[in-house]
Amino acid sequence: MTRHQKRLSVPNSWPVERKTNTFTVKAGAGPHGEAGVPLVVLLRDVLGYVDSTKEARYALNNDSILVNGDAVSDEQRPIGMYDILAFPERGEYFRVFPDEGGRLALTPVDEDAAGSRLGKITNKTVVPGGVTQLTLHDGTNVRVDDDADYETNDSIVVDNETKEIVAHFEYEEGALVTAVAGQHAGQIGEIEDIDVTLGSGDNTVTVASEDGGYETVEEYVVVIDENFTDDEGDADE
């Protein structure tokens, strides 16, 4: 299996130039599926912290880079929406956040904010033993004893150290959301109306924002809180 990916065919969310070179690194197996950006791409092409895959491997072998609180050793590890990328030795912390156009950008955050990550609940199932399992947007699972307060499309905040849920934001009218895909990607606003479509059609959401608002499909919005609107600047290319 090839370890390379043609730049022209990478997902639109990848923050890479498509016409500078023919190939880039292919994402490995892991969270976020095909939308995940290989860690080395962020280190080399976005942050400029390394010049090559070899340098990235050296940095990772020294446990100097954390993703969601855990040291990683695979330079192809997929990085995606709302992951926390930390460089403790540098005192630098970033949250992966979609900008306008849907491209993933690195938003600087402080050390406290880097201690947890946001996850959108995409599925809820009961596993053996009667425990409820929540599946998040990146494919990871969180088990809870009582599912009464958690519903699909809600968002939770998971502590990176304890892996416990520390906050919960309900998907409802009045909730603060950001669009993560489609033509309104990166726009933040409050849900005005949720239109449930009968049958196999997509539910739609009307969002009020400073520039007049927009309508998009339910799948494209993620509930956030006001802390996500206070971050300063992007470490984009």
Side-chain angles (χ1 to χ4, degrees):
M1 182 179 294
T2 179
R3 294 172 61 87
H4 294 85
Q5 162 83 50
K6 285 190 175 182
R7 285 178 176 257
L8 287 176
S9 61
V10 300
N12 292 332
S13 60
W14 284 33
V16 298
E17 294 295 334
R18 285 162 170 74
K19 298 182 180 180
T20 54
N21 293 292
T22 302
F23 294 98
T24 187
V25 178
K26 185 177 182 180
H32 302 289
E34 295 181 355
V37 182
L39 177 56
V40 64
V41 170
L42 298 181
L43 298 177
R44 182 189 61 200
D45 300 347
V46 178
L47 293 169
Y49 287 171
V50 300
D51 294 323
S52 65
T53 298
K54 183 178 180 180
E55 289 185 10
R57 289 172 182 164
Y58 177 81
L60 293 171
N61 287 336
N62 287 311
D63 294 338
S64 59
I65 301 172
L66 307 180
V67 178
N68 299 331
D70 299 322
V72 294
S73 58
D74 181 7
E75 76 277 2
Q76 291 182 281
R77 197 270 195 196
I79 306 298
M81 187 174 65
Y82 301 118
D83 278 344
I84 298 293
L85 190 59
F87 303 87
E89 295 180 0
R90 291 174 171 266
E92 295 179 353
Y93 307 88
F94 301 95
R95 178 188 293 119
V96 181
F97 198 83
D99 65 7
E100 292 186 9
R103 299 183 82 190
L104 296 178
L106 297 179
T107 301
V109 296
D110 59 31
E111 185 175 1
D112 288 341
S116 59
R117 68 184 181 92
L118 186 81
K120 177 181 179 178
I121 301 173
T122 59
N123 193 28
K124 183 178 71 171
T125 56
V126 177
V127 297
V131 177
T132 298
Q133 179 173 278
L134 308 177
T135 300
L136 305 184
H137 69 278
D138 60 1
T140 59
N141 297 313
V142 178
R143 292 191 174 189
V144 294
D145 293 327
D146 184 358
D147 69 329
D149 294 330
Y150 303 105
E151 298 294 341
T152 301
N153 294 319
D154 287 358
S155 290
I156 58 175
V157 177
V158 180
D159 185 275
N160 287 334
E161 182 176 350
T162 66
K163 309 304 181 185
E164 295 181 352
I165 297 174
V166 295
H168 173 213
F169 310 123
E170 295 183 9
Y171 173 71
E172 60 186 1
E173 293 181 4
L176 186 68
V177 297
T178 181
V180 297
Q183 63 179 338
H184 301 291
Q187 296 184 27
I188 295 174
E190 291 187 358
I191 294 178
E192 274 192 337
D193 181 65
I194 300 173
D195 185 12
V196 178
T197 302
L198 298 179
S200 59
D202 293 322
N203 295 341
T204 58
V205 182
T206 302
V207 179
S209 61
E210 292 182 354
D211 58 0
Y214 57 90
E215 182 177 299
T216 188
V217 296
E218 186 174 72
E219 179 184 355
Y220 289 174
V221 297
V222 175
V223 182
I224 59 176
D225 77 338
E226 64 275 5
N227 292 329
F228 283 77
T229 67
D230 296 333
D231 300 321
E232 297 181 358
D234 289 343
D236 213 336
E237 45 183 342

